[in-house]
Amino acid sequence: ERLIARCRAAENPRLIAWGIIGAWQSEDAGLRKRGSEALDSLLGGDRETTVLPGLEALRKVRTAGYTESLYKLLEHPSPRVQRRCLEALAALEGAEIQGLEPALERVYLSHDHHVRVACVHCYALLDSIPRNRLCLIALNDDHPDVVKAAVATLCQGNEDVDAPLSRWLCDEAAARPRAQEVALDYLKSRGLLPHLLPVVADRGEVGRGRVVRLGPELDVDGLTRLRI
């Protein structure tokens, strides 16, 4: 407890953050309260070097009581702060978070692809309908890392992924061909294609062409029969 108090009393924001983490792990209600006050101080700081350790502490303690503070920090001019803020939100998986969808839609407009990647990972916190909608937008992103994040988020515990993803993979008009290639390669590298290929193969000549490109050894007609 004395060590935690010394960390919180330090001038170095990183030491203060470690004191906050220790306070939150304590069963002492007074210590936890002082840890919350110290966290409020870090998150409300004017400097990036103060805010970032606060966000790291928040990511580790995983409490949903700071969502309003996180929403405000998503407007911060520093991409690093935005990224750490999104990572703190992503750590709240399973928590009920109000107002998340519009907040993520705004931050996805960032010119920094690292911010957009972190944002797309946060889509996993949303219900299936808004998650699918936003991921399908992100699938057409200019940066391959964002496309991969969108595919990963769509496939993360999502039983409704087959129809929208296979439809997008075979859409020659609305989707970017390069993004489709990135998505297919990502799915193949993660061993996620066997489940999806029959659905893709069923989508006419375009779908069959996608399957053939992935490997001439694949039995396209056999894959289609799997759906009958």
Side-chain angles (χ1 to χ4, degrees):
E1 185 174 328
R2 284 197 299 271
L3 181 59
I4 292 172
R6 287 174 61 186
C7 286
R8 287 191 296 105
E11 293 183 4
N12 186 323
R14 294 194 176 279
L15 284 178
I16 296 172
W18 280 110
I20 292 167
I21 295 167
W24 271 89
Q25 293 173 345
S26 170
E27 296 181 0
D28 185 324
L31 194 58
R32 288 173 65 92
K33 182 176 183 296
R34 291 191 292 276
S36 295
E37 292 168 352
L39 182 54
D40 287 333
S41 179
L42 288 183
L43 296 177
D46 296 328
R47 298 165 59 184
E48 181 181 299
T49 53
T50 300
V51 176
L52 288 174
L55 288 170
E56 180 62 18
L58 185 56
R59 185 179 69 83
K60 291 182 181 296
V61 300
R62 299 188 180 188
T63 174
Y66 284 84
T67 51
E68 289 303 319
S69 297
L70 290 174
Y71 289 163
K72 289 178 183 177
L73 287 171
L74 284 177
E75 307 294 333
H76 198 282
S78 165
R80 288 184 67 199
V81 170
Q82 290 180 323
R83 282 178 61 194
R84 293 292 179 259
C85 189
L86 289 163
E87 289 167 3
L89 278 169
L92 299 177
E93 185 176 1
E96 193 170 321
I97 308 173
Q98 300 296 324
L100 183 60
E101 184 181 348
L104 294 179
E105 285 189 281
R106 287 192 298 272
V107 78
Y108 180 75
L109 300 176
S110 170
H111 295 297
D112 188 303
H113 78 275
H114 296 293
V115 172
R116 298 199 303 278
V117 167
C119 179
V120 171
H121 284 309
C122 281
Y123 292 166
L125 300 170
L126 300 171
D127 291 334
S128 62
I129 292 176
R131 177 177 64 228
N132 289 355
R133 179 181 70 82
L134 293 176
C135 281
L136 286 171
I137 293 171
L139 283 172
N140 287 320
D141 196 278
D142 291 328
H143 201 283
D145 289 350
V146 181
V147 176
K148 293 173 187 177
V151 176
T153 302
L154 270 173
C155 295
Q156 183 180 331
N158 188 357
E159 297 178 357
D160 304 321
V161 68
D162 289 0
L165 188 52
S166 62
R167 186 164 52 246
W168 176 82
L169 285 169
C170 298
D171 189 340
E172 293 185 307
R176 296 174 185 267
R178 176 57 185 149
Q180 291 173 323
E181 297 295 314
V182 169
L184 284 168
D185 289 340
Y186 175 83
L187 288 164
K188 188 175 185 179
S189 70
R190 293 296 188 277
L192 298 172
L193 276 176
H195 174 70
L196 188 64
L197 280 179
V199 190
V200 175
D202 266 354
R203 292 195 172 273
E205 289 304 313
V206 175
R208 294 163 70 86
R210 290 280 186 270
V211 173
V212 169
R213 189 199 71 77
L214 289 167
E217 76 282 358
L218 294 170
D219 177 9
V220 180
D221 293 327
L223 284 169
T224 305
R225 286 196 298 272
L226 290 174
R227 304 293 293 179
I228 300 175

